[in-house]
């Protein structure tokens, strides 16, 4: 392997991991929304809106689910913040993978019929997303700011050199959500496995923690 290839290989691994994590984020949110009461595991803005909208709509069933997801996400992000100087980012990713795999197994075994068991799954999924969101500098769970900046640059006809990379990450979120949706349609019990498998593959790429990037 040439020295140039040796230098670029870690960066390529990072990009591959970030794409997989973006897809895992979309898959996790689709799993939560389709199977656990129409709330999100990683999109906290959406959950806040659902809590507010339930007041006028009179739909109280969504409130405990959305609040649980909010609390789980905060726990995951806060825990990752406290441990970031003591844990290798790959250990955080390993923790996320285990949480997603456990949630997938519980769902596949048909053990999540009651409200309590579904809330427990939401905790696992949202903690995983909170860990992911804090650990990786490039957004892989929230994309409103990313999309806003991309739209602004395109409107000014001043695209940046990284815009193709941004667009691919956005497409990865859609692909992950679509994959979970298709599995939910054809094999409902395996819906949770999509996110777990994507996260496990990302872990296998041996990614480093990327530098902060708000694009």
């Amino acid at each position: 392997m040439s020295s140039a290839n040796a230098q670029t290989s870690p960066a390529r691994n990072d990009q591959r991991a970030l794409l997989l994590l973006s897809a895992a984020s979309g898959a996790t949110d689709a799993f939560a929304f389709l199977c656990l009461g129409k709330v999100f595991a990683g999109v906290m803005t959406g959950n806040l809106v659902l809590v507010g909208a339930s007041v006028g709509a009179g739909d109280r069933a969504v409130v405990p689910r959305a609040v649980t997801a909010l609390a789980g996400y905060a726990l995951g992000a806060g825990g990752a913040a406290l441990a970031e100087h003591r844990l290798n980012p790959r250990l955080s990713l390993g923790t996320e993978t285990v949480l997603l795999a456990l949630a997938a197994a519980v769902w596949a075994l048909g053990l999540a019929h009651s409200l309590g068991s579904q809330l427990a799954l939401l905790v696992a999924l949202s903690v995983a997303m909170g860990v992911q969101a804090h650990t990786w500098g490039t957004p892989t769970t929230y994309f409103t700011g990313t999309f806003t900046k991309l739209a602004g640059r395109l409107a000014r006809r001043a695209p940046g050199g990284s815009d193709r990379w941004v667009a691919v990450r956005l497409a990865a979120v859609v692909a992950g959500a679509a994959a979970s949706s298709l599995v939910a349609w054809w094999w409902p019990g395996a819906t949770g496995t999509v996110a777990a498998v994507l996260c496990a593959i990302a872990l296998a790429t041996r990614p480093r923690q990327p530098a902060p990037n708000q694009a």
Side-chain angles (χ1 to χ4, degrees), residues 108-127:
L109 292 172
L111 302 177
H113 295 300
S114 68
L115 174 61
S117 60
Q118 291 184 7
L119 293 181
L121 286 191
L122 278 172
V123 169
L125 295 179
S126 56
V127 167

Side-chain angles (χ1 to χ4, degrees), residues 22-204:
S22 297
S25 173
T28 302
D29 272 322
F31 174 35
F33 190 84
L34 294 172
C35 302
L36 300 176
K38 299 191 184 304
V39 297
F40 301 101
V43 184
M44 293 303 105
T45 304
N47 287 333
L48 289 169
V49 170
L50 288 172
V51 171
S54 69
V55 174
D59 181 7
R60 301 294 186 268
V62 73
V63 174
R65 299 174 189 272
V67 170
T68 296
L70 286 162
Y73 188 93
L75 180 63
L82 291 174
E84 64 183 345
H85 297 301
R86 295 186 294 273
L87 292 180
N88 184 289
R90 293 193 71 243
L91 292 178
S92 296
L93 181 52
T95 300
E96 176 187 349
T97 303
V98 170
L99 287 170
L100 293 177
L102 286 174
V106 170
W107 181 257
L109 292 172
L111 302 177
H113 295 300
S114 68
L115 174 61
S117 60
Q118 291 184 7
L119 293 181
L121 286 191
L122 278 172
V123 169
L125 295 179
S126 56
V127 167
M129 291 297 97
V131 169
Q132 177 175 316
H134 182 84
T135 301
W136 302 94
T138 299
T140 57
T141 61
Y142 48 93
F143 291 90
T144 301
T146 302
F147 188 79
T148 300
K149 291 178 181 179
L150 176 61
R153 289 193 295 268
L154 293 177
R156 294 194 304 269
R157 297 184 180 180
S162 64
D163 281 345
R164 179 177 297 179
W165 162 238
V166 171
V168 171
R169 279 206 334 274
L170 292 171
V173 178
V174 176
S180 277
S181 178
L182 289 173
V183 172
W185 178 264
W186 293 105
W187 191 8
T191 306
T193 62
V194 177
V197 169
L198 288 168
C199 200
I201 297 173
L203 180 61

